[in-house]
Amino acid sequence: MTDSPKVLLIMGSDSDLPVMQTAGEVLQKFGIPYEMHIASAHRSPAKAMALASEAAGRGIEAIIAGAGMAAHLAGVVAAKTILPVIGVPMPGGALNGVDALYSTVQMPGGIPVATMAIGKAGAKNAGLFVVQMLALNDVRLAGALKEYRREMEDEVERKDAALQAAGREA
């Protein structure tokens, strides 16, 4: 995006890109500029810490961090910034993402990480959570978020009307 980024999306591996793109799509829908990087808490910790510690000074307002397996990325990032950090556990591995969920959600007191669901649903909600945070001080975003919710409600109503028209009971 061309505007100065407000959100940093960081992932531990390029294999996380299909999931993390979901968060980016949400931010794009709401016109929120972002940037995306690959940095591993284990394989490139200096890069991950630098991205986190320099983010606020570059105008970043929130960070979404996605990682799988041991999934320490969100915690490492949160330790190096006072910006809100949202963790997205990646699916896969021997435990299908449950290990990543536990690694992301079980932060010690004092270093919070907001943790979303495993995978694309979590990435989508991470994007929406950032929109909600930014909408606290942005009337345009607040209105767009309310319209988004109305559209979801309308979609459910359309689907129910189609079901009823087909003569089926829910």
Side-chain angles (χ1 to χ4, degrees):
M1 302 190 89
T2 56
D3 295 334
S4 295
K6 289 188 176 189
V7 182
L8 169 62
L9 277 69
I10 196 170
M11 65 199 91
S13 170
D14 62 342
S15 64
D16 302 331
L17 185 58
V19 171
M20 293 301 283
Q21 282 177 318
T22 305
E25 290 164 2
V26 169
L27 296 172
Q28 263 184 317
K29 176 180 177 59
F30 287 92
I32 298 171
Y34 66 92
E35 64 182 42
M36 222 184 251
H37 291 274
I38 298 170
S40 169
H42 301 110
R43 294 180 300 265
S44 61
K47 179 178 181 179
M49 289 187 258
L51 283 166
S53 63
E54 297 166 2
R58 295 186 306 101
I60 298 293
E61 297 181 36
I63 300 172
I64 300 173
M69 298 174 72
H72 294 119
L73 183 59
V76 165
V77 167
K80 295 300 284 183
T81 185
I82 61 168
L83 294 173
V85 175
I86 301 116
V88 179
M90 292 296 134
L95 301 178
N96 202 25
V98 174
D99 48 351
L101 173 65
Y102 287 158
S103 294
T104 305
V105 77
Q106 286 298 111
M107 289 298 298
I111 306 294
V113 170
T115 305
M116 298 295 147
I118 298 168
K120 287 188 176 187
K124 181 177 184 177
N125 282 341
L128 288 167
F129 194 67
V130 168
V131 174
Q132 288 177 308
M133 288 189 299
L134 297 178
L136 292 171
N137 296 310
D138 186 325
V139 175
R140 180 199 65 81
L141 269 181
L145 195 53
K146 288 176 185 174
E147 179 59 26
Y148 174 80
R149 294 275 180 101
R150 276 192 294 274
E151 289 171 3
M152 284 195 311
E153 186 176 355
D154 291 348
E155 182 179 1
V156 170
E157 290 304 318
R158 281 192 304 276
K159 289 178 179 181
D160 183 52
L163 178 66
Q164 299 311 312
R168 297 185 181 105
E169 294 181 11

